[in-house]
Amino acid sequence: MQNDTQPLNDTLVSKSLSAADYVPTLDAMLARTLERIDLKKQQGLRTPDELWIVDHNDVYTLGQAGKEEHILQRTDTPIIKTDRGGQVTWHGHGQLVIYWLFDLDSLKWSVRNLVSHAEQAIEDVINDCLRSSPSNSDNISAHARRDAPGVYLYADTAATDDSTATDDSSLDNKIMLGKMASLGFKIKHGFSYHGIAINLNCDLSSFNAINPCGYAGMQMLRLSDFVAMQTDSEQTELEAQTEQQMSDSFSYETVTQKLIDNIAKRHAGLIELRAIAPK
């Protein structure tokens, strides 16, 4: 497991973990959160918040109130009970996982703010990729839902100038295609951990063994089926591509960086929450 830490600003750092097993990652995340809680309580210190960018080895995780009935088939992939919210999901290579180790009280964020910032950051990045892709017909967009946490792709029933709007009120004339991103957090003494998972170019067949996030029949989607994404072998040929070819496709790394940048701006107060439609 490789570990690379980078400062994003005075109060936020990112930490990258590749080929990470779930249990030691969770143990380290919890230990760091407890350490930060203790430093704040005992010494009044505000430690920098952290984004953990994780490439997990294959694993199914079951949330704190998760029901095992949502595991439809036992495979060789480990099933780990964990302390986040939500039901069962899968993590593995080709999926981008970002854990948000944030001091919510210092940010003056409520738990609802945290969830909305996470969902809207994902919406921003996925929609930016969709709009930038020549293969997209401009009638597919990413949206959060008030009744089910996460980010989903929708297709317009009729193309309109409003097709890139991202509030729930714009969903009346759209058909849901499926779910691309999941989220589940844990809050302890005002500090968050766990976070978000976005399917970029992973093998979606692993979701067939579960009811993803507790929803039977939920269609899981990946970004690479909607925009051109480079494979590992193609990335080695990147220098030989023209500027236009590079702009027409995305890599796992470029999408990751877009999301980190968006989250960092939200953390610094440079991107405000959009209004959320009532349920």
Side-chain angles (χ1 to χ4, degrees):
M1 183 171 67
Q2 297 178 348
N3 179 352
D4 179 31
T5 302
Q6 299 289 336
L8 298 175
N9 57 49
D10 290 342
T11 57
L12 183 64
V13 300
S14 70
K15 176 178 179 179
S16 297
L17 303 173
S18 62
D21 287 331
Y22 187 80
V23 172
T25 305
L26 174 60
D27 290 346
M29 183 166 53
L30 177 58
R32 178 57 183 154
T33 299
L34 293 174
E35 179 184 25
R36 296 183 68 205
I37 291 170
D38 186 63
L39 285 169
K40 187 173 183 179
K41 285 187 173 181
Q42 302 300 326
Q43 302 180 38
L45 293 179
R46 181 183 179 183
T47 50
D49 289 334
E50 301 179 12
L51 288 176
W52 287 23
I53 319 302
V54 184
D55 165 43
H56 269 304
N57 293 323
D58 280 15
V59 66
Y60 292 108
T61 67
L62 192 63
Q64 197 164 29
K67 300 177 181 178
E68 295 206 10
E69 65 198 55
H70 292 302
I71 301 169
L72 307 178
Q73 178 184 350
R74 301 281 171 165
T75 69
D76 293 336
T77 301
I79 301 170
I80 306 296
K81 290 187 177 182
T82 186
D83 60 348
R84 61 161 173 79
Q87 293 287 330
V88 65
T89 194
W90 168 85
H91 298 314
H93 303 302
Q95 181 189 72
L96 172 59
V97 172
I98 302 185
Y99 294 134
W100 300 45
L101 281 67
F102 282 12
D103 178 350
L104 299 184
D105 292 339
S106 293
L107 287 172
K108 296 181 170 55
W109 285 11
S110 65
V111 177
R112 180 67 249 181
N113 290 156
L114 172 69
V115 171
S116 295
H117 272 299
E119 290 177 331
Q120 291 183 16
I122 297 167
E123 288 175 347
D124 287 349
V125 171
I126 293 178
N127 283 324
D128 181 62
C129 291
L130 291 170
R131 287 192 295 267
S132 301
S133 174
S135 61
N136 184 35
S137 59
D138 293 330
N139 68 338
I140 296 175
S141 50
H143 303 264
R145 292 169 47 177
R146 290 304 304 276
D147 60 332
V151 176
Y152 305 76
L153 289 195
Y154 286 80
D156 290 338
T157 54
T160 67
D161 293 337
D162 179 314
S163 62
T164 58
T166 52
D167 59 272
D168 282 351
S169 63
S170 68
L171 301 184
D172 292 343
N173 296 319
K174 297 179 185 292
I175 298 173
M176 192 186 79
L177 303 177
K179 186 173 189 178
M180 185 168 286
S182 305
L183 64 153
F185 290 98
K186 174 71 173 181
I187 312 298
K188 190 179 289 290
H189 299 285
F191 285 75
S192 67
Y193 58 107
H194 292 284
I196 63 178
I198 309 172
N199 301 324
L200 298 186
N201 53 8
C202 52
D203 182 354
L204 294 176
S205 64
S206 297
F207 288 105
N208 295 338
I210 61 174
N211 289 329
C213 302
Y215 291 93
M218 174 61 72
Q219 180 66 47
M220 299 301 289
L221 307 175
R222 60 183 181 179
L223 187 61
S224 59
D225 287 329
F226 296 87
V227 305
M229 289 195 68
Q230 302 146 9
T231 64
D232 290 341
S233 60
E234 288 170 338
Q235 289 180 47
T236 63
E237 302 170 1
L238 194 58
E239 292 181 358
Q241 295 182 350
T242 67
E243 184 175 342
Q244 180 60 43
Q245 288 173 319
M246 291 170 64
S247 66
D248 287 348
S249 62
F250 300 92
S251 69
Y252 184 99
E253 288 76 16
T254 58
V255 176
T256 299
Q257 192 58 53
K258 281 177 177 285
L259 193 55
I260 292 172
D261 291 345
N262 189 289
I263 296 170
K265 288 178 181 177
R266 292 172 179 277
H267 183 272
L270 301 177
I271 298 179
E272 295 184 358
L273 284 174
R274 294 185 289 272
I276 300 173
K279 291 183 180 180

